Amino acid sequence: MSSTAAVRPPARRRAAIWITLGAIVALVILFFVFAGLYADILWYQQLGFLNVLTTQWLAAGVMFFIGFLGMAVPLWLAIQLAYRLRPVYAKLNSQLDRYQQVIEPLRRLAMYGIPIVFGIFAGVSAGSRWQTALMWINGTAYGKTDAQFHLDIGFYLFDLPFLRSLVGFASAVTIISLIATLATCYLYGSIRISGREVRISKAARVQIAIVAALYLLLQAVSIWLDRYATVTDSNVNDMINGAAYTDVNATIPGRTILAGSAIFVALLFLLTAFIGRWRFPIVGTALLIVTALVAGAIVPWVVQRFQVEPSQKTLETPYIQRGIDATRDAYGLGDIEMTPYNAKTTAEQGALRQDAQTTAQIRIMDPAVVSPSFRQLEQFKQYYAFPNNLAVDRYNIDGKDQDAVVAVRELQQSGLGSAQNWYNDTIVYTHGYGLVAAYGNQRSSDGQPVFLESGIPTTGSLGEYQPRIYFGQQSPTYSIVGAPKGTKDVELDYPGGTSDAQQTATTFQGNGGPKLDNIFKRLVYALKFQDEQIVLSDAVNNNSQILYDRDPIKRVQKVAPYLTLDSQAYPTVVDGRVKWVIDGYTTSDQFPYSHVGSLSDAIADTETPKPAYAFDNINYIRNSVKATVDAYDGSVTLYAWDDTDPVLKTWEKIFPTTVKPMSDMSAQLMSHVRYPADLFKVQRSVLGQYHVTDAGSFYSRDDAWTTPNDPTAEAGTATPQQPPYYLTLQMPGQTQPEFSLYTTFIPLASGDSSRSVLRGYLAVDSNAGSTKGKRADSYGKLRLLTLPSSDTVPGPGQVQNSFNSDPTVSQQLNLLRQGKTDVINGNLLTLPVGGGLLYVQPVYVKSTGETSYPLLQKVLVAFGDKIAFEDTLDQALDVLFGGDSGASAGDTNVPPTTGETPPTTGTGDGTETPSPTDNAALQAALAAAQTAINDKEAALKAGDWAAYGAADTRLSQAIADALAAEGK
């Protein structure tokens, strides 16, 4: 026993060991936290936006301490006063005496610990509201007033949210302090309960009465502020937001009375602090509760039930009109140009003569379909990739604006297979290469895209530019680049041939990330990415830079946390660089009388899925910022696109010098920015109801619209809305075609009553011009064509159904599906040309082989109830319009295929080339096939198997003849 005891360390030594271990663990944790914070500092500093990070930290820190002190100090004072002013010789019952015996040893800890714990929670809550506080401090006047209280709208956007949060916080502090006061007074005898008798010491009475009075005063302020909140609440059966008849005539006056009553009861509590009579405040509190029930609930219900509902349309009309006007202002719909459009439904010869420029630019390359074509034709190596949905841009080619389908060739390291390791992933394979662009209105003879920029190295019509893509949507998590001068290049630049020896290497020369110029920074990033190789590898040197957070949208979000960003970033060649363009929005849900809706719901369609959970209600939106991210060095530039937006002005005060004026935008950049699709989706969602400007008609909802479902969506799935499309078109009233974004509307209905007839056609001018720092006057002009309700112009759903059910079309499609091929319907475009509405849909054929890709083989067109289905758009338009449409489409002169051409059927090995179609032989073969099908069905019903076999043989021969006629 004695020897064992001698081996054991003494208690003091054991305590020292545990303290040392605890200190080491704490230091390690603190270093991990510090490493993350320091990495953030380096990232923002390198990008030139360090003030964004420090402002957030400073604001959140200040708000934390304000919240901490605002809760902890009053709570500590309440407990201290209640304890120090306790009766010295209070008689306690046995139960309280036992409580005191338990609590007394912990009294000092509780008196400080409870305020600290509550203070931390309050500080965290306050720190998370730094944006609300800074917006209140820096708020900018809107310049317009609300219709009810005639206050500047900036009060609702910036002041009211902060004031309500402040009052709510103060109320929480006061009620917690009151509870702590009551508990302390009870435990130490200041409050004694004996049967039905309650005795309160004078000191406790004064403290309790003052705290209760303060709480009631805060409630009075809260109720007074709630009056203003009525102009942003849903009303009139959720038809509009804002104060309606009942609110104006019952709720607002009731809250005014209730606020005054709360002040009166608070004065009664103050009176009690001096005279000691609790009867007055108790009776006053009871009357306050009754007043709240009567003025806050019963009277509004009576007014709504017996006055408003019998004459709702008459009484609510002025308030509905307020909602219409405010909603159109908040969503930027105030200047929309509405034009009645009596669309023709008869396809007459030469009808497109006046729309020749529009038809020449009809985009037949669907950016959501041709991505596999880009991959097969332009990927070159397995470690390159293109996105599933490509972008639509336009370039000036030979003095003429040309719509193009574009994408960048990004790095996809998963394609390296067994070659993946830390060195290759981090040091060698660091970037993609080149932008690929195809004419939107052209196709090759076998249906391939016709590229205006392609290849490695890049060649085409876009001139010289920096082709390396270090920053993109599929870039690696991080790469380490850079080396001293004279060092051998190790980064793969692009493949130069079939063997590794022919590959071209490069070294990054830009300023794209924090430098790893000392061991401490390398250790910081080794901890951040949990990768010790950053410290150990000899490939990392003092000239190395670490590139991370490379997604363009993420980079912009980090430097502009106040912006809501468009769901799509698109690449473009600007001033010799590939730049990603991202649209940024300022939003709010506090615009008086404006309709509130979910942003996620509004932008959801075939290309933008709806998230499972979304808390992003808005009722105000502006495209306030255009942002660019350089694909080579990752530099982020923010431009003030809407410098009149008060929300942006407010944030510019908070983060000065971070947003550049529009005047700094180059001419080339101006020519490539476009009207953002997400904003357009939100506006079309609102316009479904708010195209109606008459309050009476709006109330009746007799002309509500909705966006049609995507007719090309796969069957059996939840059908999403049809996305808007970018096209160069000439709207009625325009003198020339403009790059535009458009959508269609059909009547809002449900179930069997739904009809896919066209009611509206909305387009917005998306061309910002090509003058440095000056936006074109027509940019952002919304044009709405309204069709008479008596017309039955088919909508996209009806047209798609007509395409699918037409006998001639279905026969040819069935033939195209024979063998190992799939038929893909491209985007169904709608154009207001020829005095009516022309529908155009490209049809692609895709082999089921592993290396296959879609080839444009046919074009469907419709005008009114007439349909045409031909090999080219130009042929289809001529057939549709009586042999001569009067205009030529962009695919009139189909260029020959350059390079290897896979067949449209089979395995896609690129060994066959289709021959020109023999239309007469094709029609004869189709007729023979239809006859054989009919004979097979008749023989099957009759049970004549000999006749069935003969008909089947004839059907096979007819299919072979048809394929031969099509050159397949």
Side-chain angles (χ1 to χ4, degrees):
M1 293 292 293
S2 60
S3 61
T4 304
V7 172
R8 291 176 182 171
R12 184 175 298 177
R13 185 178 174 186
R14 289 198 301 270
I17 292 173
W18 282 111
I19 291 173
T20 302
L21 290 175
I24 292 173
V25 171
L27 287 174
V28 170
I29 294 173
L30 287 174
F31 186 74
F32 269 90
V33 173
F34 169 78
L37 298 178
Y38 186 57
D40 286 340
I41 291 173
L42 293 175
W43 189 89
Y44 278 92
Q45 187 177 47
Q46 182 274 326
L47 207 55
F49 287 88
L50 183 59
N51 65 322
V52 173
L53 181 66
T54 55
T55 299
Q56 292 181 72
W57 285 358
L58 180 61
V62 170
M63 289 295 295
F64 174 85
F65 283 109
I66 291 175
F68 176 83
L69 296 175
M71 173 65 78
V73 172
L75 184 56
W76 178 81
L77 283 174
I79 296 173
Q80 285 290 326
L81 287 173
Y83 174 75
R84 293 184 179 279
L85 299 176
R86 70 192 185 283
V88 179
Y89 302 107
K91 294 182 179 180
L92 304 178
N93 58 40
S94 59
Q95 187 175 9
L96 281 177
D97 190 56
R98 287 196 299 271
Y99 285 161
Q100 279 198 10
Q101 290 177 7
V102 173
I103 293 172
E104 189 61 28
L106 302 173
R107 175 178 57 79
R108 185 175 295 276
L109 176 63
M111 283 186 172
Y112 289 94
I114 291 174
I116 288 173
V117 170
F118 276 92
I120 291 173
F121 282 107
V124 171
S125 177
S128 67
R129 292 184 169 89
W130 65 269
Q131 291 188 341
T132 304
L134 290 184
M135 291 182 76
W136 170 69
I137 295 170
N138 298 278
T140 305
Y142 187 85
K144 293 182 181 179
T145 59
D146 73 285
Q148 177 60 35
F149 296 103
H150 307 293
L151 297 173
D152 187 89
I153 290 173
F155 168 78
Y156 300 95
L157 297 177
F158 310 120
D159 299 341
L160 187 58
F162 173 78
L163 294 176
R164 295 184 77 186
S165 296
L166 180 62
V167 172
F169 178 83
S171 297
V173 172
T174 307
I175 196 67
I176 292 172
S177 299
L178 179 60
I179 293 172
T181 298
L182 292 172
T184 306
C185 289
Y186 179 71
L187 284 172
Y188 289 96
S190 298
I191 299 175
R192 285 175 290 168
I193 302 174
S194 178
R196 299 178 62 183
E197 184 180 10
V198 179
R199 292 182 177 274
I200 303 175
S201 68
K202 181 179 179 180
R205 182 192 74 218
V206 172
Q207 183 176 348
I208 293 170
I210 291 176
V211 175
L214 180 59
Y215 179 76
L216 284 168
L217 288 173
L218 289 170
Q219 296 314 295
V221 176
S222 177
I223 294 167
W224 184 263
L225 293 176
D226 287 344
R227 296 164 63 252
Y228 301 113
T230 56
V231 299
T232 59
D233 293 338
S234 297
N235 220 310
V236 192
N237 297 324
D238 295 329
M239 185 175 294
I240 65 166
N241 270 38
Y245 183 90
T246 300
D247 297 298
V248 172
N249 293 279
T251 303
I252 293 174
R255 289 177 179 175
T256 303
I257 294 170
L258 194 57
S261 301
I263 294 174
F264 177 73
V265 177
L267 293 176
L268 293 179
F269 272 98
L270 290 176
L271 182 64
T272 297
F274 295 101
I275 67 174
R277 302 180 69 90
W278 288 98
R279 182 179 303 173
F280 297 125
I282 292 173
V283 172
T285 302
L287 291 176
L288 181 61
I289 295 172
V290 173
T291 303
L293 290 173
V294 173
I298 296 176
V299 171
W301 179 83
V302 170
V303 171
Q304 180 68 27
R305 182 70 177 85
F306 297 103
Q307 187 175 356
V308 175
E309 290 185 7
S311 307
Q312 190 174 50
K313 185 174 182 178
T314 302
L315 295 178
E316 301 289 19
T317 293
Y319 306 104
I320 293 175
Q321 193 63 54
R322 290 180 179 182
I324 294 171
D325 296 340
T327 298
R328 290 170 69 94
D329 182 19
Y331 287 93
L333 301 171
D335 297 328
I336 187 170
E337 182 181 288
M338 300 179 65
T339 305
Y341 190 61
N342 296 312
K344 297 179 182 178
T345 55
T346 303
E348 300 175 351
Q349 195 174 56
L352 301 183
R353 188 162 286 109
Q354 300 299 320
D355 299 291
Q357 294 184 64
T358 295
T359 56
Q361 282 277 27
I362 295 176
R363 179 176 50 75
I364 54 176
M365 284 293 150
D366 184 352
V369 173
V370 299
S371 179
S373 301
F374 274 51
R375 283 195 289 268
Q376 289 299 319
L377 298 172
E378 289 294 326
Q379 181 173 330
F380 295 114
K381 293 292 184 178
Q382 72 276 11
Y383 46 77
Y384 289 134
F386 292 98
N388 291 328
N389 285 334
L390 309 185
V392 177
D393 199 1
R394 71 276 187 206
Y395 288 91
N396 190 281
I397 307 297
D398 298 328
K400 181 181 178 182
D401 285 342
Q402 174 67 57
D403 290 3
V405 177
V406 302
V408 291
R409 189 184 292 105
E410 292 202 57
L411 180 66
Q412 182 177 264
Q413 290 183 340
S414 60
L416 292 172
S418 60
Q420 278 195 277
N421 54 56
W422 184 87
Y423 187 84
N424 279 342
D425 290 351
T426 308
I427 306 297
V428 178
Y429 294 90
T430 58
H431 61 278
Y433 193 93
L435 180 139
V436 178
Y439 290 94
N441 62 339
Q442 295 183 21
R443 45 158 286 183
S444 68
S445 58
D446 65 346
Q448 293 183 17
V450 178
F451 294 103
L452 60 90
E453 186 75 18
S454 61
I456 293 181
T458 58
T459 58
S461 304
L462 302 187
E464 294 185 4
Y465 62 92
Q466 171 58 263
R468 296 165 184 87
I469 311 298
Y470 282 90
F471 293 83
Q473 296 174 315
Q474 301 183 57
S475 296
T477 302
Y478 75 93
S479 295
I480 297 176
V481 298
K485 289 184 179 180
T487 305
K488 181 181 177 181
D489 296 332
V490 295
E491 296 179 56
L492 172 71
D493 198 19
Y494 58 84
T498 57
S499 66
D500 292 341
Q502 294 175 297
Q503 293 179 344
T504 302
T506 188
T507 298
F508 180 76
Q509 300 296 329
N511 180 20
K515 289 188 175 181
L516 302 178
D517 51 7
N518 58 58
I519 188 64
F520 181 73
K521 291 181 180 178
R522 296 173 199 173
L523 180 60
V524 164
Y525 281 104
L527 291 174
K528 177 178 177 63
F529 293 107
Q530 299 293 292
D531 197 335
E532 73 283 355
Q533 297 297 328
I534 297 175
V535 174
L536 301 177
S537 175
D538 60 1
V540 182
N541 53 75
N542 289 340
N543 292 88
S544 294
Q545 300 174 43
I546 184 166
L547 313 182
Y548 63 98
D549 286 343
R550 299 160 77 172
D551 181 88
I553 293 179
K554 183 175 183 179
R555 291 178 77 81
V556 175
Q557 191 68 82
K558 289 184 70 172
V559 303
Y562 52 89
L563 291 178
T564 300
L565 299 182
D566 197 271
S567 57
Q568 299 294 327
Y570 63 95
T572 187
V573 176
V574 174
D575 302 321
R577 313 281 284 196
V578 176
K579 295 199 175 183
W580 295 92
V581 181
I582 304 100
D583 286 282
Y585 311 112
T586 46
T587 62
S588 176
D589 61 354
Q590 296 297 312
F591 198 96
Y593 278 104
S594 178
H595 165 79
V596 173
S598 168
L599 178 63
S600 297
D601 288 346
I603 68 174
D605 57 25
T606 309
E607 299 174 0
T608 308
K610 180 181 176 182
Y613 302 99
F615 302 95
D616 54 1
N617 285 345
I618 63 169
N619 68 352
Y620 172 86
I621 185 169
R622 290 289 186 271
N623 179 207
S624 53
V625 170
K626 299 283 188 184
T628 64
V629 176
D630 192 298
Y632 182 73
D633 62 19
S635 56
V636 178
T637 308
L638 308 176
Y639 297 99
W641 190 248
D642 185 354
D643 55 8
T644 64
D645 175 34
V647 181
L648 178 61
K649 287 182 177 180
T650 297
W651 283 112
E652 285 184 296
K653 295 176 186 176
I654 297 170
F655 299 120
T657 73
T658 58
V659 182
K660 294 184 177 181
M662 184 172 58
S663 58
D664 286 358
M665 296 178 71
S666 70
Q668 275 200 18
L669 179 57
M670 293 295 293
S671 68
H672 288 285
V673 298
R674 65 190 191 188
Y675 198 83
D678 282 359
L679 174 60
F680 189 69
K681 293 176 190 178
V682 171
Q683 290 175 321
R684 76 174 179 182
S685 174
V686 172
L687 270 177
Q689 294 283 348
Y690 288 87
H691 69 277
V692 178
T693 56
D694 176 72
S697 179
F698 186 93
Y699 177 84
S700 301
R701 296 194 178 185
D702 55 6
D703 192 24
W705 299 342
T706 188
T707 305
N709 291 333
D710 191 343
T712 65
E714 293 184 11
T717 60
T719 307
Q721 289 187 325
Q722 186 180 36
Y725 297 117
Y726 287 99
L727 289 173
T728 294
L729 58 88
Q730 182 174 335
M731 287 283 286
Q734 288 184 297
T735 58
Q736 61 182 13
E738 292 287 354
F739 186 68
S740 305
L741 183 61
Y742 87 88
T743 190
T744 56
F745 293 103
I746 61 174
L748 176 64
S750 59
D752 295 335
S753 62
S754 178
R755 293 189 307 143
S756 182
V757 293
L758 220 58
R759 283 290 171 265
Y761 185 97
L762 177 67
V764 61
D765 294 353
S766 300
N767 184 17
S770 57
T771 304
K772 181 182 184 299
K774 187 177 185 223
R775 185 170 51 223
D777 294 337
S778 62
Y779 174 87
K781 181 66 176 178
L782 289 158
R783 306 173 192 272
L784 177 62
L785 305 182
T786 58
L787 282 71
S789 57
S790 58
D791 285 355
T792 55
V793 177
Q798 283 190 5
V799 171
Q800 188 68 62
N801 183 66
S802 298
F803 287 160
N804 296 340
S805 60
D806 183 86
T808 303
V809 173
S810 61
Q811 284 179 4
Q812 296 191 50
L813 290 178
N814 286 333
L815 288 173
L816 291 174
R817 292 189 182 99
Q818 296 296 324
K820 298 179 180 180
T821 57
D822 292 328
V823 174
I824 303 171
N825 290 325
N827 44 207
L828 181 57
L829 306 177
T830 311
L831 296 97
V833 295
L837 288 157
L838 171 68
Y839 286 92
V840 177
Q841 183 175 54
V843 177
Y844 298 83
V845 174
K846 179 179 179 293
S847 168
T848 56
E850 292 183 2
T851 59
S852 64
Y853 56 92
L855 295 171
L856 177 59
Q857 293 295 296
K858 292 283 188 179
V859 180
L860 280 162
V861 294
F863 192 95
D865 57 358
K866 192 173 180 181
I867 294 172
F869 188 40
E870 299 296 332
D871 293 341
T872 67
L873 175 58
D874 193 59
Q875 294 172 2
L877 293 178
D878 282 340
V879 170
L880 186 67
F881 290 94
D884 180 16
S885 66
S888 297
D891 64 346
T892 302
N893 300 312
V894 176
T897 303
T898 57
E900 196 174 273
T901 304
T904 57
T905 59
T907 61
D909 59 2
T911 59
E912 300 178 22
T913 302
S915 303
T917 300
D918 186 341
N919 288 322
L922 176 61
Q923 294 300 322
L926 291 174
Q930 185 61 52
T931 301
I933 290 172
N934 294 337
D935 291 346
K936 279 183 66 175
E937 292 177 352
L940 181 62
K941 292 179 180 178
D944 187 347
W945 299 111
Y948 182 89
D952 187 62
T953 302
R954 286 187 283 113
L955 176 60
S956 298
Q957 183 59 48
I959 292 172
D961 294 341
L963 291 173
E966 285 241 302
K968 297 177 175 61

